[in-house]
Amino acid sequence: MAARRSGLPLMKYLRVQVDSLPLNYQSPLRLFPNPFLRRFSDEVRGTFLDKSEVTDRVISCVKSFQKVDPSKVTPSANFQSDLGLDSLDAVEVVMALEEEFGFEIPDNEADKINSINVAVDFIASHPQAK
């Protein structure tokens, strides 16, 4: 303990001279990747889809579902009250949307998707949707 305390005062007075660098100076470290810089793959980074495109794709996906009458499908349609789907059918629709857009919807979010508008909002705001 005494040895550690004796080293502290010396550290307090230690100074290092730093000269200013010229404006056109390029660090030799630029050749090596920065290990602290977070790099994301294109899959993780993703791009947000256009909401109108997402709406069209969601509606076509829901229309192609067997138990849905295509004439009842509108952007504001609710899965249960407007389209007559039960909870298991709604889960199957969400699974079809996962397949259509190429990403997995977490269970806690899938439970909240009960209409086409909610599905469109969620998918359009998800960075991994393709």
Side-chain angles (χ1 to χ4, degrees), residues 51-64 73-75 79 93 97 100-101 113 115-121 123-124:
K51 206 167 190 173
S52 63
E53 176 191 350
V54 173
T55 304
D56 294 340
R57 287 172 64 187
V58 168
I59 287 175
S60 67
C61 189
V62 172
K63 279 184 179 181
S64 67
V73 178
T74 62
F79 291 155
V93 168
L97 293 174
E100 170 71 24
F101 289 96
I113 297 176
S115 69
I116 291 178
N117 279 338
V118 174
V120 168
D121 290 340
I123 293 168

Short mmCIF file of all heavy atoms in Angstrom, two decimals, residues 51-64 73-75 79 93 97 100-101 113 115-121 123-124:
data_model
loop_
_atom_site.label_atom_id
_atom_site.label_comp_id
_atom_site.label_asym_id
_atom_site.label_seq_id
_atom_site.Cartn_x
_atom_site.Cartn_y
_atom_site.Cartn_z
N LYS A 51 -43.47 3.90 -47.22
CA LYS A 51 -44.72 3.47 -46.58
C LYS A 51 -45.77 3.03 -47.59
O LYS A 51 -46.51 2.08 -47.35
CB LYS A 51 -45.25 4.60 -45.70
CG LYS A 51 -46.10 4.11 -44.57
CD LYS A 51 -46.33 5.22 -43.56
CE LYS A 51 -46.98 4.65 -42.34
NZ LYS A 51 -47.09 5.59 -41.26
N SER A 52 -45.85 3.69 -48.74
CA SER A 52 -46.84 3.29 -49.74
C SER A 52 -46.51 1.92 -50.33
O SER A 52 -47.40 1.11 -50.59
CB SER A 52 -46.95 4.34 -50.84
OG SER A 52 -45.72 4.46 -51.53
N GLU A 53 -45.21 1.66 -50.52
CA GLU A 53 -44.79 0.34 -51.01
C GLU A 53 -45.11 -0.74 -49.98
O GLU A 53 -45.61 -1.82 -50.32
CB GLU A 53 -43.29 0.35 -51.29
CG GLU A 53 -42.74 -1.00 -51.71
CD GLU A 53 -41.22 -1.04 -51.74
OE1 GLU A 53 -40.58 0.03 -51.62
OE2 GLU A 53 -40.69 -2.15 -51.87
N VAL A 54 -44.85 -0.44 -48.71
CA VAL A 54 -45.16 -1.39 -47.64
C VAL A 54 -46.66 -1.65 -47.58
O VAL A 54 -47.09 -2.80 -47.45
CB VAL A 54 -44.63 -0.88 -46.27
CG1 VAL A 54 -45.08 -1.77 -45.14
CG2 VAL A 54 -43.12 -0.79 -46.29
N THR A 55 -47.46 -0.60 -47.70
CA THR A 55 -48.92 -0.76 -47.67
C THR A 55 -49.39 -1.68 -48.80
O THR A 55 -50.19 -2.60 -48.57
CB THR A 55 -49.62 0.61 -47.79
OG1 THR A 55 -49.15 1.46 -46.75
CG2 THR A 55 -51.13 0.48 -47.69
N ASP A 56 -48.89 -1.47 -49.99
CA ASP A 56 -49.28 -2.31 -51.13
C ASP A 56 -48.89 -3.76 -50.90
O ASP A 56 -49.67 -4.68 -51.17
CB ASP A 56 -48.64 -1.79 -52.42
CG ASP A 56 -49.17 -0.43 -52.83
OD1 ASP A 56 -50.26 -0.05 -52.36
OD2 ASP A 56 -48.49 0.25 -53.61
N ARG A 57 -47.67 -3.98 -50.40
CA ARG A 57 -47.21 -5.35 -50.18
C ARG A 57 -47.98 -6.05 -49.06
O ARG A 57 -48.28 -7.24 -49.15
CB ARG A 57 -45.71 -5.35 -49.90
CG ARG A 57 -44.89 -5.05 -51.15
CD ARG A 57 -43.43 -4.86 -50.87
NE ARG A 57 -42.79 -6.07 -50.35
CZ ARG A 57 -41.54 -6.10 -49.90
NH1 ARG A 57 -40.80 -5.01 -49.92
NH2 ARG A 57 -41.02 -7.22 -49.44
N VAL A 58 -48.28 -5.31 -47.99
CA VAL A 58 -49.04 -5.90 -46.88
C VAL A 58 -50.45 -6.26 -47.35
O VAL A 58 -50.95 -7.34 -47.07
CB VAL A 58 -49.08 -4.95 -45.66
CG1 VAL A 58 -50.10 -5.41 -44.63
CG2 VAL A 58 -47.71 -4.85 -45.02
N ILE A 59 -51.09 -5.36 -48.08
CA ILE A 59 -52.45 -5.62 -48.56
C ILE A 59 -52.46 -6.83 -49.50
O ILE A 59 -53.32 -7.70 -49.39
CB ILE A 59 -53.04 -4.36 -49.24
CG1 ILE A 59 -53.39 -3.32 -48.17
CG2 ILE A 59 -54.27 -4.70 -50.07
CD1 ILE A 59 -53.87 -2.01 -48.70
N SER A 60 -51.48 -6.92 -50.40
CA SER A 60 -51.45 -8.07 -51.31
C SER A 60 -51.17 -9.36 -50.55
O SER A 60 -51.73 -10.41 -50.89
CB SER A 60 -50.41 -7.86 -52.40
OG SER A 60 -49.12 -7.87 -51.87
N CYS A 61 -50.37 -9.29 -49.51
CA CYS A 61 -50.09 -10.47 -48.69
C CYS A 61 -51.34 -10.92 -47.93
O CYS A 61 -51.64 -12.11 -47.87
CB CYS A 61 -48.95 -10.15 -47.72
SG CYS A 61 -48.33 -11.57 -46.82
N VAL A 62 -52.08 -9.96 -47.37
CA VAL A 62 -53.30 -10.29 -46.63
C VAL A 62 -54.38 -10.79 -47.59
O VAL A 62 -55.11 -11.73 -47.28
CB VAL A 62 -53.79 -9.07 -45.81
CG1 VAL A 62 -55.15 -9.33 -45.20
CG2 VAL A 62 -52.78 -8.73 -44.72
N LYS A 63 -54.47 -10.20 -48.79
CA LYS A 63 -55.46 -10.64 -49.77
C LYS A 63 -55.21 -12.08 -50.21
O LYS A 63 -56.14 -12.80 -50.53
CB LYS A 63 -55.46 -9.72 -50.99
CG LYS A 63 -56.22 -8.44 -50.81
CD LYS A 63 -56.23 -7.65 -52.10
CE LYS A 63 -57.01 -6.38 -51.94
NZ LYS A 63 -57.05 -5.58 -53.19
N SER A 64 -53.94 -12.48 -50.25
CA SER A 64 -53.62 -13.83 -50.70
C SER A 64 -53.86 -14.88 -49.62
O SER A 64 -53.78 -16.07 -49.89
CB SER A 64 -52.16 -13.90 -51.17
OG SER A 64 -51.29 -13.71 -50.08
N VAL A 73 -60.52 -6.20 -47.73
CA VAL A 73 -59.19 -5.74 -47.32
C VAL A 73 -59.02 -4.28 -47.71
O VAL A 73 -59.06 -3.92 -48.88
CB VAL A 73 -58.09 -6.61 -47.96
CG1 VAL A 73 -56.72 -6.09 -47.57
CG2 VAL A 73 -58.24 -8.05 -47.54
N THR A 74 -58.85 -3.43 -46.69
CA THR A 74 -58.56 -2.01 -46.87
C THR A 74 -57.39 -1.65 -45.97
O THR A 74 -57.07 -2.40 -45.05
CB THR A 74 -59.78 -1.14 -46.47
OG1 THR A 74 -60.06 -1.35 -45.08
CG2 THR A 74 -61.00 -1.50 -47.30
N PRO A 75 -56.74 -0.51 -46.20
CA PRO A 75 -55.62 -0.14 -45.33
C PRO A 75 -55.99 0.01 -43.86
O PRO A 75 -55.14 -0.13 -42.98
CB PRO A 75 -55.15 1.19 -45.91
CG PRO A 75 -55.57 1.15 -47.33
CD PRO A 75 -56.85 0.38 -47.35
N PHE A 79 -57.81 -7.10 -38.32
CA PHE A 79 -57.78 -8.52 -38.64
C PHE A 79 -59.00 -9.26 -38.09
O PHE A 79 -59.57 -10.09 -38.78
CB PHE A 79 -56.52 -9.18 -38.09
CG PHE A 79 -55.25 -8.76 -38.78
CD1 PHE A 79 -54.03 -8.83 -38.13
CD2 PHE A 79 -55.26 -8.31 -40.08
CE1 PHE A 79 -52.86 -8.46 -38.77
CE2 PHE A 79 -54.09 -7.92 -40.73
CZ PHE A 79 -52.88 -8.00 -40.06
N VAL A 93 -50.96 -14.64 -40.43
CA VAL A 93 -50.78 -13.46 -41.29
C VAL A 93 -49.46 -12.78 -40.94
O VAL A 93 -48.70 -12.39 -41.84
CB VAL A 93 -51.96 -12.48 -41.15
CG1 VAL A 93 -51.65 -11.15 -41.81
CG2 VAL A 93 -53.22 -13.08 -41.75
N LEU A 97 -46.20 -12.11 -43.27
CA LEU A 97 -45.54 -10.80 -43.41
C LEU A 97 -44.04 -10.92 -43.13
O LEU A 97 -43.24 -10.26 -43.80
CB LEU A 97 -46.19 -9.77 -42.48
CG LEU A 97 -47.63 -9.38 -42.81
CD1 LEU A 97 -48.20 -8.48 -41.74
CD2 LEU A 97 -47.70 -8.73 -44.18
N GLU A 100 -42.61 -12.31 -46.23
CA GLU A 100 -42.66 -11.33 -47.32
C GLU A 100 -41.56 -10.29 -47.19
O GLU A 100 -40.93 -9.91 -48.18
CB GLU A 100 -44.04 -10.65 -47.33
CG GLU A 100 -44.15 -9.45 -48.24
CD GLU A 100 -44.15 -9.81 -49.73
OE1 GLU A 100 -44.50 -10.95 -50.07
OE2 GLU A 100 -43.80 -8.93 -50.52
N PHE A 101 -41.31 -9.81 -45.97
CA PHE A 101 -40.37 -8.71 -45.77
C PHE A 101 -38.99 -9.17 -45.29
O PHE A 101 -38.10 -8.35 -45.11
CB PHE A 101 -40.96 -7.67 -44.80
CG PHE A 101 -42.09 -6.90 -45.42
CD1 PHE A 101 -43.40 -7.29 -45.21
CD2 PHE A 101 -41.85 -5.82 -46.24
CE1 PHE A 101 -44.44 -6.60 -45.79
CE2 PHE A 101 -42.88 -5.13 -46.84
CZ PHE A 101 -44.19 -5.52 -46.62
N ILE A 113 -49.74 -6.40 -33.42
CA ILE A 113 -50.16 -6.21 -34.81
C ILE A 113 -51.54 -6.83 -35.00
O ILE A 113 -51.68 -8.04 -35.11
CB ILE A 113 -49.14 -6.82 -35.79
CG1 ILE A 113 -47.79 -6.10 -35.65
CG2 ILE A 113 -49.64 -6.72 -37.22
CD1 ILE A 113 -46.68 -6.67 -36.49
N SER A 115 -54.00 -4.99 -37.06
CA SER A 115 -54.64 -4.38 -38.23
C SER A 115 -53.58 -4.12 -39.29
O SER A 115 -52.38 -4.18 -39.02
CB SER A 115 -55.34 -3.07 -37.85
OG SER A 115 -54.41 -2.10 -37.52
N ILE A 116 -54.04 -3.79 -40.46
CA ILE A 116 -53.11 -3.53 -41.56
C ILE A 116 -52.31 -2.26 -41.30
O ILE A 116 -51.12 -2.22 -41.56
CB ILE A 116 -53.89 -3.47 -42.89
CG1 ILE A 116 -54.41 -4.88 -43.22
CG2 ILE A 116 -53.01 -2.94 -44.02
CD1 ILE A 116 -55.22 -4.99 -44.46
N ASN A 117 -52.96 -1.23 -40.75
CA ASN A 117 -52.24 0.02 -40.45
C ASN A 117 -51.10 -0.20 -39.47
O ASN A 117 -50.00 0.34 -39.64
CB ASN A 117 -53.19 1.07 -39.89
CG ASN A 117 -53.98 1.76 -40.96
OD1 ASN A 117 -53.58 1.79 -42.12
ND2 ASN A 117 -55.11 2.33 -40.58
N VAL A 118 -51.35 -0.97 -38.42
CA VAL A 118 -50.32 -1.24 -37.42
C VAL A 118 -49.17 -2.02 -38.05
O VAL A 118 -48.00 -1.75 -37.80
CB VAL A 118 -50.91 -1.99 -36.20
CG1 VAL A 118 -49.82 -2.39 -35.23
CG2 VAL A 118 -51.95 -1.13 -35.51
N ALA A 119 -49.51 -3.00 -38.90
CA ALA A 119 -48.48 -3.79 -39.58
C ALA A 119 -47.63 -2.90 -40.48
O ALA A 119 -46.40 -3.01 -40.49
CB ALA A 119 -49.13 -4.91 -40.38
N VAL A 120 -48.27 -2.02 -41.22
CA VAL A 120 -47.55 -1.12 -42.12
C VAL A 120 -46.63 -0.19 -41.33
O VAL A 120 -45.47 0.00 -41.69
CB VAL A 120 -48.54 -0.31 -42.99
CG1 VAL A 120 -47.84 0.83 -43.73
CG2 VAL A 120 -49.24 -1.22 -43.97
N ASP A 121 -47.14 0.39 -40.25
CA ASP A 121 -46.32 1.29 -39.43
C ASP A 121 -45.10 0.56 -38.86
O ASP A 121 -43.99 1.09 -38.87
CB ASP A 121 -47.14 1.90 -38.30
CG ASP A 121 -48.17 2.89 -38.79
OD1 ASP A 121 -48.01 3.40 -39.92
OD2 ASP A 121 -49.13 3.17 -38.05
N ILE A 123 -43.61 -2.29 -39.96
CA ILE A 123 -42.67 -2.74 -41.00
C ILE A 123 -41.94 -1.56 -41.64
O ILE A 123 -40.74 -1.62 -41.88
CB ILE A 123 -43.42 -3.58 -42.05
CG1 ILE A 123 -43.90 -4.89 -41.42
CG2 ILE A 123 -42.54 -3.87 -43.25
CD1 ILE A 123 -44.87 -5.68 -42.25
N ALA A 124 -42.64 -0.46 -41.88
CA ALA A 124 -42.01 0.71 -42.50
C ALA A 124 -40.97 1.33 -41.57
O ALA A 124 -40.01 1.95 -42.05
CB ALA A 124 -43.06 1.75 -42.88
#
